[in-house]
Amino acid sequence: MRKLYLIGIGAGNPEYITVQAIKALNLVDVFFFMDKGKAKQDLVNLRKQICERYIEKTSYRVVEADDPVRDTTISDYTTRVELWHRQRALVYEEMIAQQLEENQCGGFLVWGDPSLYDSTLRVIEHIIACGRLCFEFEVIPGITSIQVLAARHKISLNGIGESIVITTGRQLSAGLSGTAERTIVMLDGQCSFNSLLDEELDIFWGAYLGMEEEILLSGKLSEIAGMIEKVRHEKRQRNGWIMDTYLLSKPNRAAQARVPRTGTSCDHNDL
Ligand SMILES: C[S@@+](CC[C@H](N)C(=O)[O-])C[C@H]1O[C@@H](n2cnc3c(N)ncnc32)[C@H](O)[C@@H]1O
């Protein structure tokens, strides 16, 4: 039977690959890459570098397909994304059926970890639900951008015994969840932290985490929000893309140890 590996490759640095991921990489006959356009070519290239660096055999193949474009005329976000997943499922199904022989292994290299804000698992579930293709699959966990953010800022994600919320920029713009002392925000193209400038919050922000271009900024949100927005805009213009993640924290002892209460703590290259 065909087997698929969904391999978490870590978020940005080729050295975030686990030993388990390297073993899985070496079992794969065909890798499936989605082409997301020129701007995201850097991310495809990183996947290719990972294959070249860690795979010992030369007999594997890479098959690329164009990623379906989301239909922006659909106003409801969930409906729009679900339709996009179904379109992706058709593309994946066709690639697997045509390019992977029975008894071969296919591989999807998933950014960070497959369980966190990634569609690959849902797309695979769609294909299984359609029932036209028979295969087994295994998920190999990877280091998420959240873990890299915490490691690079040298902070704990949670306070003692406290909850943390992981959310998106879209959700944050509706306000902070009342139950958590700390909130991690991903997928925020709109700098939604600007809606919270009246709140007493610290921010630990990271872009291109784990990569050569990595930028880290931290401080009082109300003091450095403008700087983050400016840096984000400039880097996005220059590189054609940016990925950033941040943690918002109510000021507490843990944060005070790390964040100077006057001014900002900046650790970044080439602002
Ligand atoms: C589609 S989600 C994928 C998350 C991924 N599965 C993970 O485990 O981190 C993409 C979002 O993850 C965050 N992200 C991923 N890689 C990042 C990186 N190297 N630096 C900063 N943020 C990153 C950003 O918030 C980005 O908008």
Side-chain angles (χ1 to χ4, degrees), residues 52-77:
E52 283 159 20
R53 179 161 169 184
Y54 294 109
I55 301 178
E56 287 167 15
K57 62 185 180 184
T58 51
S59 55
Y60 70 88
R61 290 189 297 128
V62 173
V63 173
E64 292 185 51
D66 289 336
D67 205 11
V69 179
R70 294 187 207 198
D71 184 347
T72 49
T73 61
I74 302 172
S75 57
D76 180 65
Y77 180 75

mmCIF file of all heavy atoms in Angstrom, residues 52-77:
data_model
loop_
_atom_site.group_PDB
_atom_site.id
_atom_site.type_symbol
_atom_site.label_atom_id
_atom_site.label_comp_id
_atom_site.label_asym_id
_atom_site.label_seq_id
_atom_site.Cartn_x
_atom_site.Cartn_y
_atom_site.Cartn_z
ATOM 1 N N GLU A 52 18.442 17.897 0.145
ATOM 2 C CA GLU A 52 19.835 17.680 -0.291
ATOM 3 C C GLU A 52 20.743 17.377 0.900
ATOM 4 O O GLU A 52 21.643 16.556 0.824
ATOM 5 C CB GLU A 52 20.355 18.907 -1.047
ATOM 6 C CG GLU A 52 19.816 18.962 -2.471
ATOM 7 C CD GLU A 52 19.881 20.357 -3.080
ATOM 8 O OE1 GLU A 52 20.655 21.196 -2.580
ATOM 9 O OE2 GLU A 52 19.138 20.606 -4.050
ATOM 10 N N ARG A 53 20.480 18.051 2.009
ATOM 11 C CA ARG A 53 21.372 17.913 3.155
ATOM 12 C C ARG A 53 21.197 16.595 3.911
ATOM 13 O O ARG A 53 22.158 16.025 4.394
ATOM 14 C CB ARG A 53 21.114 19.094 4.098
ATOM 15 C CG ARG A 53 21.937 19.074 5.344
ATOM 16 C CD ARG A 53 21.968 20.447 5.942
ATOM 17 N NE ARG A 53 22.538 20.420 7.270
ATOM 18 C CZ ARG A 53 22.621 21.468 8.058
ATOM 19 N NH1 ARG A 53 22.183 22.635 7.634
ATOM 20 N NH2 ARG A 53 23.144 21.371 9.254
ATOM 21 N N TYR A 54 19.955 16.126 4.002
ATOM 22 C CA TYR A 54 19.715 15.003 4.919
ATOM 23 C C TYR A 54 19.428 13.667 4.243
ATOM 24 O O TYR A 54 19.433 12.637 4.905
ATOM 25 C CB TYR A 54 18.548 15.331 5.861
ATOM 26 C CG TYR A 54 18.867 16.470 6.807
ATOM 27 C CD1 TYR A 54 18.271 17.709 6.681
ATOM 28 C CD2 TYR A 54 19.797 16.290 7.841
ATOM 29 C CE1 TYR A 54 18.569 18.763 7.536
ATOM 30 C CE2 TYR A 54 20.100 17.337 8.711
ATOM 31 C CZ TYR A 54 19.482 18.562 8.552
ATOM 32 O OH TYR A 54 19.787 19.593 9.402
ATOM 33 N N ILE A 55 19.145 13.689 2.937
ATOM 34 C CA ILE A 55 18.788 12.405 2.305
ATOM 35 C C ILE A 55 20.036 11.787 1.690
ATOM 36 O O ILE A 55 20.747 12.444 0.916
ATOM 37 C CB ILE A 55 17.672 12.601 1.246
ATOM 38 C CG1 ILE A 55 16.443 13.202 1.928
ATOM 39 C CG2 ILE A 55 17.340 11.273 0.579
ATOM 40 C CD1 ILE A 55 15.284 13.504 1.010
ATOM 41 N N GLU A 56 20.279 10.539 2.035
ATOM 42 C CA GLU A 56 21.520 9.908 1.584
ATOM 43 C C GLU A 56 21.392 9.297 0.200
ATOM 44 O O GLU A 56 22.343 9.269 -0.559
ATOM 45 C CB GLU A 56 21.951 8.846 2.607
ATOM 46 C CG GLU A 56 22.494 9.526 3.874
ATOM 47 C CD GLU A 56 22.648 8.581 5.045
ATOM 48 O OE1 GLU A 56 22.613 7.358 4.828
ATOM 49 O OE2 GLU A 56 22.785 9.082 6.178
ATOM 50 N N LYS A 57 20.175 8.841 -0.153
ATOM 51 C CA LYS A 57 20.024 8.238 -1.480
ATOM 52 C C LYS A 57 19.787 9.339 -2.522
ATOM 53 O O LYS A 57 19.413 10.466 -2.175
ATOM 54 C CB LYS A 57 18.880 7.234 -1.494
ATOM 55 C CG LYS A 57 17.526 7.856 -1.196
ATOM 56 C CD LYS A 57 16.427 6.817 -1.103
ATOM 57 C CE LYS A 57 15.092 7.487 -0.799
ATOM 58 N NZ LYS A 57 13.997 6.566 -0.612
ATOM 59 N N THR A 58 20.011 9.011 -3.798
ATOM 60 C CA THR A 58 19.796 10.020 -4.850
ATOM 61 C C THR A 58 18.555 9.699 -5.667
ATOM 62 O O THR A 58 18.198 10.434 -6.582
ATOM 63 C CB THR A 58 21.012 10.062 -5.806
ATOM 64 O OG1 THR A 58 21.271 8.723 -6.237
ATOM 65 C CG2 THR A 58 22.235 10.660 -5.148
ATOM 66 N N SER A 59 17.879 8.611 -5.291
ATOM 67 C CA SER A 59 16.803 8.133 -6.170
ATOM 68 C C SER A 59 15.444 8.793 -5.914
ATOM 69 O O SER A 59 14.487 8.479 -6.591
ATOM 70 C CB SER A 59 16.661 6.612 -5.994
ATOM 71 O OG SER A 59 16.470 6.331 -4.623
ATOM 72 N N TYR A 60 15.366 9.687 -4.955
ATOM 73 C CA TYR A 60 14.054 10.302 -4.702
ATOM 74 C C TYR A 60 13.712 11.341 -5.771
ATOM 75 O O TYR A 60 14.594 11.866 -6.441
ATOM 76 C CB TYR A 60 14.031 10.938 -3.296
ATOM 77 C CG TYR A 60 14.901 12.167 -3.151
ATOM 78 C CD1 TYR A 60 14.421 13.442 -3.455
ATOM 79 C CD2 TYR A 60 16.213 12.060 -2.697
ATOM 80 C CE1 TYR A 60 15.217 14.569 -3.310
ATOM 81 C CE2 TYR A 60 17.008 13.170 -2.565
ATOM 82 C CZ TYR A 60 16.511 14.420 -2.874
ATOM 83 O OH TYR A 60 17.311 15.531 -2.750
ATOM 84 N N ARG A 61 12.410 11.598 -5.915
ATOM 85 C CA ARG A 61 11.961 12.606 -6.887
ATOM 86 C C ARG A 61 11.178 13.707 -6.162
ATOM 87 O O ARG A 61 10.616 13.472 -5.098
ATOM 88 C CB ARG A 61 11.015 11.976 -7.922
ATOM 89 C CG ARG A 61 11.712 11.026 -8.880
ATOM 90 C CD ARG A 61 10.756 10.622 -9.992
ATOM 91 N NE ARG A 61 9.598 9.885 -9.511
ATOM 92 C CZ ARG A 61 8.330 10.195 -9.787
ATOM 93 N NH1 ARG A 61 8.040 11.263 -10.534
ATOM 94 N NH2 ARG A 61 7.342 9.461 -9.327
ATOM 95 N N VAL A 62 11.166 14.892 -6.785
ATOM 96 C CA VAL A 62 10.347 15.999 -6.267
ATOM 97 C C VAL A 62 9.304 16.337 -7.326
ATOM 98 O O VAL A 62 9.644 16.548 -8.491
ATOM 99 C CB VAL A 62 11.209 17.248 -5.972
ATOM 100 C CG1 VAL A 62 10.323 18.436 -5.605
ATOM 101 C CG2 VAL A 62 12.199 16.961 -4.844
ATOM 102 N N VAL A 63 8.051 16.343 -6.923
ATOM 103 C CA VAL A 63 6.969 16.708 -7.842
ATOM 104 C C VAL A 63 6.352 18.004 -7.320
ATOM 105 O O VAL A 63 6.005 18.091 -6.144
ATOM 106 C CB VAL A 63 5.907 15.582 -7.896
ATOM 107 C CG1 VAL A 63 4.700 16.030 -8.705
ATOM 108 C CG2 VAL A 63 6.515 14.314 -8.471
ATOM 109 N N GLU A 64 6.250 18.995 -8.205
ATOM 110 C CA GLU A 64 5.685 20.281 -7.770
ATOM 111 C C GLU A 64 4.350 20.536 -8.469
ATOM 112 O O GLU A 64 4.180 20.173 -9.625
ATOM 113 C CB GLU A 64 6.651 21.423 -8.099
ATOM 114 C CG GLU A 64 7.918 21.365 -7.267
ATOM 115 C CD GLU A 64 8.837 22.559 -7.502
ATOM 116 O OE1 GLU A 64 8.370 23.700 -7.420
ATOM 117 O OE2 GLU A 64 10.027 22.313 -7.755
ATOM 118 N N ALA A 65 3.447 21.151 -7.753
ATOM 119 C CA ALA A 65 2.158 21.528 -8.357
ATOM 120 C C ALA A 65 1.807 22.936 -7.904
ATOM 121 O O ALA A 65 2.261 23.383 -6.847
ATOM 122 C CB ALA A 65 1.069 20.559 -7.918
ATOM 123 N N ASP A 66 1.006 23.617 -8.731
ATOM 124 C CA ASP A 66 0.578 24.972 -8.353
ATOM 125 C C ASP A 66 -0.467 24.888 -7.247
ATOM 126 O O ASP A 66 -1.401 24.079 -7.313
ATOM 127 C CB ASP A 66 -0.035 25.688 -9.559
ATOM 128 C CG ASP A 66 1.040 26.039 -10.578
ATOM 129 O OD1 ASP A 66 2.222 26.148 -10.180
ATOM 130 O OD2 ASP A 66 0.700 26.170 -11.768
ATOM 131 N N ASP A 67 -0.278 25.733 -6.238
ATOM 132 C CA ASP A 67 -1.250 25.786 -5.152
ATOM 133 C C ASP A 67 -2.510 26.493 -5.664
ATOM 134 O O ASP A 67 -2.404 27.564 -6.278
ATOM 135 C CB ASP A 67 -0.634 26.601 -3.996
ATOM 136 C CG ASP A 67 -1.239 26.238 -2.665
ATOM 137 O OD1 ASP A 67 -1.969 25.235 -2.599
ATOM 138 O OD2 ASP A 67 -0.958 26.949 -1.696
ATOM 139 N N PRO A 68 -3.705 25.930 -5.448
ATOM 140 C CA PRO A 68 -4.922 26.649 -5.862
ATOM 141 C C PRO A 68 -5.007 28.018 -5.178
ATOM 142 O O PRO A 68 -4.539 28.172 -4.049
ATOM 143 C CB PRO A 68 -6.059 25.740 -5.383
ATOM 144 C CG PRO A 68 -5.443 24.421 -5.109
ATOM 145 C CD PRO A 68 -4.000 24.652 -4.787
ATOM 146 N N VAL A 69 -5.592 28.970 -5.883
ATOM 147 C CA VAL A 69 -5.707 30.331 -5.320
ATOM 148 C C VAL A 69 -7.020 30.425 -4.553
ATOM 149 O O VAL A 69 -8.055 29.916 -5.007
ATOM 150 C CB VAL A 69 -5.676 31.376 -6.466
ATOM 151 C CG1 VAL A 69 -5.808 32.791 -5.922
ATOM 152 C CG2 VAL A 69 -4.390 31.213 -7.267
ATOM 153 N N ARG A 70 -6.982 31.059 -3.377
ATOM 154 C CA ARG A 70 -8.217 31.208 -2.595
ATOM 155 C C ARG A 70 -9.179 32.152 -3.324
ATOM 156 O O ARG A 70 -8.753 33.163 -3.881
ATOM 157 C CB ARG A 70 -7.929 31.795 -1.221
ATOM 158 C CG ARG A 70 -7.128 30.869 -0.376
ATOM 159 C CD ARG A 70 -7.035 31.425 1.017
ATOM 160 N NE ARG A 70 -5.837 30.959 1.677
ATOM 161 C CZ ARG A 70 -5.657 30.994 2.989
ATOM 162 N NH1 ARG A 70 -6.576 31.503 3.770
ATOM 163 N NH2 ARG A 70 -4.554 30.556 3.521
ATOM 164 N N ASP A 71 -10.463 31.831 -3.264
ATOM 165 C CA ASP A 71 -11.483 32.637 -3.928
ATOM 166 C C ASP A 71 -11.863 33.805 -3.009
ATOM 167 O O ASP A 71 -12.628 33.649 -2.059
ATOM 168 C CB ASP A 71 -12.701 31.754 -4.222
ATOM 169 C CG ASP A 71 -13.751 32.509 -4.998
ATOM 170 O OD1 ASP A 71 -13.654 33.756 -5.086
ATOM 171 O OD2 ASP A 71 -14.675 31.857 -5.508
ATOM 172 N N THR A 72 -11.309 34.989 -3.327
ATOM 173 C CA THR A 72 -11.521 36.140 -2.440
ATOM 174 C C THR A 72 -12.936 36.718 -2.560
ATOM 175 O O THR A 72 -13.315 37.595 -1.775
ATOM 176 C CB THR A 72 -10.494 37.257 -2.749
ATOM 177 O OG1 THR A 72 -10.493 37.477 -4.158
ATOM 178 C CG2 THR A 72 -9.106 36.888 -2.274
ATOM 179 N N THR A 73 -13.712 36.209 -3.518
ATOM 180 C CA THR A 73 -15.089 36.717 -3.627
ATOM 181 C C THR A 73 -15.989 36.083 -2.551
ATOM 182 O O THR A 73 -17.094 36.557 -2.309
ATOM 183 C CB THR A 73 -15.691 36.417 -5.017
ATOM 184 O OG1 THR A 73 -15.717 34.998 -5.202
ATOM 185 C CG2 THR A 73 -14.880 37.080 -6.130
ATOM 186 N N ILE A 74 -15.498 35.006 -1.929
ATOM 187 C CA ILE A 74 -16.288 34.392 -0.841
ATOM 188 C C ILE A 74 -15.973 35.155 0.449
ATOM 189 O O ILE A 74 -14.838 35.141 0.922
ATOM 190 C CB ILE A 74 -15.932 32.896 -0.677
ATOM 191 C CG1 ILE A 74 -16.188 32.153 -1.991
ATOM 192 C CG2 ILE A 74 -16.714 32.266 0.471
ATOM 193 C CD1 ILE A 74 -15.690 30.724 -2.010
ATOM 194 N N SER A 75 -16.997 35.810 1.010
ATOM 195 C CA SER A 75 -16.710 36.709 2.141
ATOM 196 C C SER A 75 -16.504 35.941 3.455
ATOM 197 O O SER A 75 -15.700 36.351 4.289
ATOM 198 C CB SER A 75 -17.822 37.745 2.292
ATOM 199 O OG SER A 75 -19.032 37.059 2.446
ATOM 200 N N ASP A 76 -17.197 34.822 3.633
ATOM 201 C CA ASP A 76 -17.061 34.100 4.906
ATOM 202 C C ASP A 76 -15.715 33.368 4.929
ATOM 203 O O ASP A 76 -15.421 32.532 4.067
ATOM 204 C CB ASP A 76 -18.212 33.097 5.074
ATOM 205 C CG ASP A 76 -18.081 32.339 6.393
ATOM 206 O OD1 ASP A 76 -18.192 32.984 7.446
ATOM 207 O OD2 ASP A 76 -17.808 31.119 6.356
ATOM 208 N N TYR A 77 -14.911 33.669 5.948
ATOM 209 C CA TYR A 77 -13.527 33.151 6.012
ATOM 210 C C TYR A 77 -13.492 31.620 6.042
ATOM 211 O O TYR A 77 -12.770 30.980 5.272
ATOM 212 C CB TYR A 77 -12.837 33.731 7.254
ATOM 213 C CG TYR A 77 -11.415 33.262 7.425
ATOM 214 C CD1 TYR A 77 -10.391 33.770 6.632
ATOM 215 C CD2 TYR A 77 -11.098 32.279 8.364
ATOM 216 C CE1 TYR A 77 -9.078 33.326 6.779
ATOM 217 C CE2 TYR A 77 -9.793 31.833 8.514
ATOM 218 C CZ TYR A 77 -8.790 32.363 7.724
ATOM 219 O OH TYR A 77 -7.501 31.916 7.865
#
